[in-house]
Amino acid sequence: MKTDLNELRQLCQAILARHGFLVEHQHSITETLLTAQQDDCHSHGVWRLLGVLDTWRQGKLAADVLPYISHEAGAVVKIDARMGPAPTAFALGLPKLMACARRFGVGILAINHCVHFSALWVEIEQLTRAGLVALNMTPSHAWVAPAGSTKPLLGTNPIGFGFPRANADEPYVFDFATSASARGEIQLRQRAGQPLEAGWAIDAQGQPTLDATAALAGAMLTFGGHKGSALATMVELLAGPLIGDLSSQESMAFADGTATLPYGGEIIIAIDPAFLLGDEADAHLARAEALLDQFNPAGARLPSQRRFQARQRNREQGGVVVDESVLAELRALLD
Ligand code: NDP
Ligand code: PYC
């Protein structure tokens, strides 16, 4: 169903205000989810607000505290979200991260103790817009079996990457879960009564399944077998212990049997190409352009191309597409 963007914005903000979320959280959560919705990323669009509210209701998300800068040294900035939503912590750290990248060539932002529920590209694009190369990752809950096992141990652990492009309208961006699908996609298929794709999950007995409910009770699988498994493990290490935060298994233990959103850390790395390349930046970045320019003529699409097209289409048509049942559930939160 096409919905007016501003009406949707007001609805999300009103829901958050009604439940006691600070204005900073109302704004950061709403804009993050709307940004995804505008690109037809339904698994990390406004549907997520239902999970945010549920997590808050179960005492696993703090709505009434703000993040603070807990550590700043050299190229490293750490933000403590204090069990608040990741987008507010990211907004606080972003100017510091950019300043580090400009000053040292590279900056590292570590967000601790946050509740994470968003698409990583939303953050990546804020860095590429400033001409920076960006990489981010976060663990989640232990829903995913490592290759060779049927026991969930890893998170869906997304990796986002962006490279700015001077000669194109949009940056090069990819962002994917290291599981074969995001958990959100399985949950949306469960809502819609649709089957999963082969290779996404196994049931509680360790057998392959296309049934969303059986998959959610069983284990998700990594993409690309042992390769996705290793990348997911890298995310656990870099955005867990390395920044003093939880693994997906520990996040699951923190949830204590509730079906709440993941809690833990996120690492965001920004690199300034101008710092690295100096006078030679234009020449080398032109070589990057020459590589990326060959994808479409070769019959391939670039990652995020579908999103950028959806963004354009939704802008032209003046609205965003939202599932009617999701809208109804959101509106009910104001009753
Ligand atoms: P998808 O598999 O849908 O897409 C992954 C990436 O591949 C996208 O950049 C996509 O671009 C691109 N892509 C898809 N098909 C092609 C193709 N044929 N050729 C080239 N590129 C292609 O993503 P996931 O389901 O793995 O993840 C969805 C979202 O879930 C992500 O935004 C992720 O950040 C989020 N997530 C968040 C978590 C959290 O803890 N916060 C946990 C797990 C996932 P396009 O979008 O244009 O299709
Ligand atoms: O879709 O796997 C997922 C997810 C976890 C947290 C936010 N999204």
Side-chain angles (χ1 to χ4, degrees):
M1 182 183 179
K2 272 278 180 205
T3 306
D4 179 77
L5 185 64
N6 277 329
E7 273 175 37
L8 195 57
R9 176 173 284 118
Q10 280 163 18
L11 176 64
C12 293
Q13 284 192 336
I15 291 167
L16 290 162
R18 165 81 173 266
H19 292 87
F21 282 67
L22 293 175
V23 167
E24 289 84 348
H25 297 324
Q26 292 172 30
H27 177 77
S28 72
I29 295 172
T30 298
E31 293 311 317
T32 298
L33 300 183
L34 284 185
T35 301
Q37 197 73 42
Q38 279 179 288
D39 284 13
D40 286 356
C41 291
H42 300 283
S43 67
H44 290 79
V46 294
W47 167 70
R48 281 277 161 198
L49 195 49
L50 301 172
V52 168
L53 265 288
D54 195 46
T55 303
W56 167 77
R57 248 186 241 108
Q58 302 207 51
K60 302 289 182 187
L61 190 162
D64 56 353
V65 296
L66 287 176
Y68 68 96
I69 299 168
S70 56
H71 181 74
E72 234 182 321
V76 175
V77 182
K78 293 185 91 174
I79 305 284
D80 190 331
R82 303 169 73 203
M83 221 168 102
T88 317
F90 179 76
L92 176 64
L94 179 64
K96 297 263 178 202
L97 175 62
M98 287 183 183
C100 284
R102 303 256 185 257
R103 180 162 175 219
F104 301 109
V106 63
I108 298 179
L109 173 62
I111 297 176
N112 288 121
H113 313 136
C114 69
V115 176
H116 215 294
F117 48 84
S118 53
L120 294 187
W121 61 260
V122 176
E123 298 172 353
I124 291 290
E125 286 188 21
Q126 295 177 57
L127 290 157
T128 54
R129 269 198 290 278
L132 301 170
V133 176
L135 179 68
N136 61 353
M137 49 198 97
T138 181
S140 58
H141 277 329
W143 292 310
V144 181
S149 168
T150 55
K151 183 177 160 2
L153 181 62
L154 301 165
T156 47
N157 299 6
I159 302 175
F161 173 77
F163 198 94
R165 299 188 63 185
N167 300 334
D169 290 338
E170 308 291 358
Y172 176 86
V173 178
F174 72 71
D175 169 19
F176 53 73
T178 47
S179 42
S181 80
R183 190 158 183 95
E185 182 59 35
I186 297 184
Q187 290 169 304
L188 289 187
R189 296 226 182 170
Q190 183 189 41
R191 279 177 74 98
Q194 291 168 350
L196 308 183
E197 309 294 322
W200 281 13
I202 49 178
D203 63 20
Q205 286 69 48
Q207 296 305 310
T209 184
L210 303 184
D211 180 80
T213 304
L216 293 171
M220 297 169 68
L221 298 173
T222 58
F223 86 89
H226 62 283
K227 300 182 185 182
S229 196
L231 285 175
T233 309
M234 176 189 78
V235 175
E236 295 284 339
L237 299 173
L238 293 182
L242 184 70
I243 61 167
D245 222 312
L246 303 187
S247 64
S248 296
Q249 216 175 28
E250 290 163 342
S251 169
M252 193 81 128
F254 176 82
D256 199 19
T258 62
T260 47
L261 289 163
Y263 173 66
E266 177 183 357
I267 189 165
I268 305 114
I269 300 169
I271 301 170
D272 183 3
F275 188 103
L276 254 71
L277 293 166
D279 292 346
E280 296 178 355
D282 286 351
H284 289 300
L285 294 178
R287 293 176 43 246
E289 285 299 311
L291 171 65
L292 297 174
D293 280 344
Q294 292 176 64
F295 276 70
N296 285 175
R301 80 155 164 101
L302 288 168
S304 298
Q305 208 167 317
R306 175 203 62 84
R307 270 197 313 106
F308 295 141
Q309 284 165 356
R311 185 181 301 176
Q312 178 76 18
R313 192 174 54 245
N314 286 331
R315 276 188 189 148
E316 282 165 9
Q317 294 175 357
V320 285
V321 182
V322 187
D323 183 89
E324 260 185 75
S325 72
V326 170
L327 263 186
E329 276 188 66
L330 288 173
R331 289 192 177 118
L333 290 170
L334 285 178
D335 290 345

